[in-house]
Amino acid sequence: MKKFKYKFNTVTYVLIGLCLALAVAALILNTYYIITEGIRSAQVIVYPILQYTLTYFVALAVLLLLISLLISSYYSVTSELFTTSFGIIKSKYKVQDIDMIVLDKTNPKKKDRLSVYFNNETFITIVVKPEWFDAFTDALKEANPSIRYDIENPEDLPSDDDNGQNGSKKG
């Protein structure tokens, strides 16, 4: 099995870090309130118990989810399956159902984008380091040699002066 780690951008890492910090702060504050105020101060004892329990549950769930995103986000390719894992969310696809891989270089303002197209005309965009595009493509083509590979360049796009006569060379 070949694995390719999911590539998060800097903003995503910052947001994950902030959410982790907020979850830890919620756990600490919740513990502090339990120690200082306890449940005796409430007129109905059930409400603080529910509040403290729910706060712990939500904070721990957020912590586990975000840590799983950082540890277990990847794409893997075996001889039969192409798997995407985004933390605890996993999707499996048969390699035989993959029709085409497209490397899109048509937008000079954005980074290149690698997409995997399936026989049912759905697709997913692959988010890995650009240096891994070739290795990822090779792993899929090794598992299924009938997968087509296409590179779309800016010069493949129709220009305004040729009235759409010059289209993309997909296929």
Side-chain angles (χ1 to χ4, degrees):
M1 171 171 52
K2 296 181 182 175
K3 271 190 176 181
F4 302 89
K5 189 90 171 119
Y6 193 91
K7 181 184 177 262
F8 292 111
N9 61 25
T10 306
V11 173
T12 305
Y13 278 120
V14 169
L15 289 174
I16 289 173
L18 287 172
C19 290
L20 284 171
L22 286 173
V24 169
L27 291 172
I28 292 169
L29 281 173
N30 200 41
T31 304
Y32 172 77
Y33 287 136
I34 289 173
I35 292 169
T36 59
E37 294 180 20
I39 56 173
R40 291 186 212 111
S41 63
Q43 289 184 356
V44 180
I45 263 185
V46 174
Y47 295 127
I49 291 173
L50 285 175
Q51 175 187 349
Y52 296 142
T53 304
L54 209 59
T55 302
Y56 276 125
F57 178 75
V58 170
L60 287 172
V62 167
L63 276 173
L64 290 174
L65 179 69
L66 294 175
I67 290 171
S68 76
L69 279 178
L70 292 173
I71 293 174
S72 183
S73 292
Y74 62 87
Y75 303 96
S76 68
V77 179
T78 66
S79 60
E80 296 178 8
L81 290 175
F82 165 53
T83 306
T84 63
S85 177
F86 192 66
I88 60 173
I89 302 167
K90 292 186 180 6
S91 300
K92 294 183 179 186
Y93 308 93
K94 291 181 181 176
V95 173
Q96 297 307 316
D97 291 341
I98 298 173
D99 179 43
M100 180 187 331
I101 302 168
V102 176
L103 177 58
D104 186 357
K105 297 181 170 207
T106 57
N107 190 343
K109 294 180 183 177
K110 291 187 178 181
K111 294 182 179 181
D112 296 347
R113 187 176 66 198
L114 189 66
S115 300
V116 173
Y117 287 82
F118 297 93
N119 292 333
N120 62 2
E121 298 190 16
T122 60
F123 73 95
I124 58 174
T125 300
I126 306 301
V127 185
V128 295
K129 292 180 181 179
E131 305 88 65
W132 296 349
F133 285 178
D134 288 339
F136 179 81
T137 302
D138 290 345
L140 281 175
K141 287 188 68 66
E142 183 180 308
N144 180 2
S146 67
I147 294 174
R148 295 179 293 153
Y149 180 68
D150 186 38
I151 299 174
E152 292 184 348
N153 291 302
E155 56 270 8
D156 293 339
L157 295 176
S159 63
D160 291 337
D161 58 325
D162 70 1
N163 296 323
Q165 299 297 318
N166 189 16
S168 173
K169 296 174 184 155
K170 251 192 205 181

